Amino acid sequence: LTQLWRVDADPANAQNGEQYAEAAQLLQGGGTVAFPTETVYGLGADACNTTAVERIFAAKGRPSDNPLIVHIADMKQLDDLILPTGQLARMLMNRFWPGPLTIVLPVKPGAVSPKVTAGLDTVAVRMPAHPVARQLIAASGRPIAAPSANRSGRPSPTTAAHVIDDLDGRIDAVLDGGTAGVGLESTVIELVDEETVRILRPGGVTAEQLLQLAAKVEYDSSSAPDASGHNDGGGAAEPGLEAPRSPGMKYTHYAPRGDMQLVQGEAAEVAACIQSAARQARSRGERTGVLVFAEHAALYGEEEHVIVLGRLSALDEAAQGLYAALRAFDDRQVQRIWAETCPEAGIGHALMNRLSKAAGHRITRV
Ligand code: TXA
Ligand code: MG
């Protein structure tokens, strides 16, 4: 049975002391606890306990070659996890932690279960900013391995209800601290040298922000919106495909159950293209949906299942709502989904990355 505890996101609220203590005990005893972070909900377990970490993989149905991010509450925990690092890593941590930045660093041998790193000699570390996450990790006194708290291949959860939908009965507890903040997962980076940051997965911390500290920021090819995808959510890499630096990037994540595609171009032409395709699909008896930006919603007055993602002029709000929108199409059993695209500046880069993955990298340009 999965326990659900509602907690106040304000850590000063002493009423929640008991829930944190119980949740921390579950983690210390090798259990699994889902909790909110400022990106999405995570499914946590003690990163040093192999049995506990295996429970994460089992609950999610996650392929075991996809390593997990280790979450820490303070810098003392970091020193036990990684080998000494250079100046750039320290500067990035000082600037962006706590926050939505995950840094891949050389792991101290034996510091975490080999299941966490999937046998790599690096570990991905992040210090989340969400008060509930911080309080839980601190109370447990352990480094906490935590992937997003969804079934593998499903959109990441941004509410406790999403976690329950996917994992009820498969995990020990959920701390419900309200809706997660950014709505997209953290930016995952590795350091190429003392000047260069490589983005393995775009996210809440943008390339523009990283460029304030690094002389050079590059994108790993697997994080590009039209990077070739792979559609089984869990099998081996496509033959001939170069192994991505971030193992998770080779899987088509974030997918709704319906068949989704992106249409890019001038708004009126995009709308005309989508409406004609949707009409044809409906004539075949399919249930259709569109995912559009507020500025263009009026163009889709005749469509069924129109979900407005937010404003193009406020892409951070659109990012917050993306995964809930993809899940809403599932709830309505929509079979064919068409989505607009957005410019790839700032958080728009991460948003396009996730939209593109959800669409299995199918983009029509009109
Ligand atoms: O915002 C987030 O990052 C959320 C919250 C819960 O913190 N977590 C999350 O975890 O998105 P997950 O497991 O869904 O994604 C982790 C990503 C995967 O793409 C994985 O391949 C990559 O990080 N990763 C983990 N360890 C790595 C390593 N040692 N080297 C390269 N990539 C790594
Ligand atoms: Mg995930």
Side-chain angles (χ1 to χ4, degrees):
L1 212 86
T2 300
Q3 310 204 54
L4 178 62
W5 291 309
R6 187 150 302 159
V7 292
D8 203 305
D10 180 0
N13 187 345
Q15 279 177 335
N16 299 139
E18 225 169 278
Q19 279 99 315
Y20 283 107
E22 275 194 65
Q25 260 172 33
L26 280 173
L27 290 173
Q28 289 160 357
T32 48
V33 178
F35 58 91
T37 82
E38 76 281 20
T39 58
V40 298
Y41 272 69
L43 176 59
D46 180 352
C48 303
N49 180 334
T50 293
T51 312
V53 173
E54 280 170 340
R55 290 195 176 112
I56 291 180
F57 283 94
K60 285 182 57 93
R62 181 179 175 111
S64 62
D65 67 347
N66 192 2
L68 306 179
I69 295 171
V70 176
H71 296 66
I72 57 174
D74 56 51
M75 292 306 273
K76 282 199 301 286
Q77 282 186 300
L78 182 71
D79 294 332
D80 297 333
L81 292 176
I82 59 160
L83 297 174
T85 62
Q87 198 54 29
L88 181 57
R90 293 287 158 180
M91 276 166 29
L92 290 164
M93 291 168 190
N94 284 339
R95 169 68 80 80
F96 295 109
W97 283 1
L101 182 70
T102 297
I103 311 179
V104 174
L105 295 162
V107 66
K108 210 178 248 186
V112 294
S113 163
K115 297 276 168 186
V116 169
T117 55
L120 299 173
D121 54 11
T122 54
V123 62
V125 190
R126 128 169 157 85
M127 187 190 290
H130 196 291
V132 174
R134 293 176 66 76
Q135 183 138 332
L136 177 66
I137 299 164
S140 75
R142 306 286 160 90
I144 298 299
S148 49
N150 52 286
R151 287 294 283 265
S152 209
R154 289 270 286 155
S156 290
T158 52
T159 67
H162 295 163
V163 178
I164 292 291
D165 280 347
D166 278 15
L167 298 175
D168 194 20
R170 304 175 69 89
I171 61 177
D172 293 314
V174 183
L175 286 181
D176 179 356
T179 303
V182 178
L184 304 178
E185 304 82 351
S186 63
T187 304
V188 180
I189 60 166
E190 65 180 3
L191 307 180
V192 180
D193 53 41
E194 273 300 311
E195 314 211 301
T196 312
V197 167
R198 182 179 291 143
I199 297 179
L200 304 180
R201 179 179 72 180
V205 172
T206 63
E208 291 87 338
Q209 287 175 295
L210 292 167
L211 267 174
Q212 292 167 4
L213 294 182
K216 219 178 126 206
V217 175
E218 58 186 44
Y219 286 101
D220 184 53
S221 58
S222 68
S223 75
D226 51 3
S228 79
H230 177 71
N231 208 9
D232 68 6
E238 226 162 86
L241 210 75
E242 196 189 324
R245 309 272 321 164
S246 186
M249 299 303 286
K250 73 170 179 267
Y251 302 108
T252 299
H253 278 166
Y254 325 116
R257 295 203 177 92
D259 176 279
M260 180 163 154
Q261 30 191 309
L262 309 185
V263 185
Q264 189 166 48
E266 196 268 315
E269 284 170 34
V270 168
C273 166
I274 288 178
Q275 279 169 316
S276 130
R279 252 193 316 272
Q280 281 178 42
R282 283 194 296 275
S283 74
R284 295 192 297 267
E286 290 177 323
R287 195 186 286 243
T288 62
V290 298
L291 183 59
V292 299
F293 291 97
E295 287 88 339
H296 306 146
L299 297 171
Y300 296 88
E302 278 154 43
E303 286 305 306
E304 53 174 15
H305 306 294
V306 178
I307 297 186
V308 177
L309 196 47
R311 285 172 294 151
L312 269 174
S313 59
L315 282 183
D316 45 344
E317 289 167 24
Q320 282 177 341
L322 174 65
Y323 290 140
L326 297 182
R327 283 172 181 265
F329 284 125
D330 286 353
D331 294 342
R332 302 181 197 183
Q333 296 175 304
V334 172
Q335 294 156 297
R336 299 288 304 275
I337 305 159
W338 289 267
E340 288 190 315
T341 63
C342 68
E344 283 174 59
I347 192 74
H349 193 99
L351 186 55
M352 269 302 284
N353 172 270
R354 305 311 195 272
L355 276 168
S356 169
K357 281 181 152 262
H361 302 279
R362 279 172 308 151
I363 307 185
T364 303
R365 293 182 177 88
V366 296

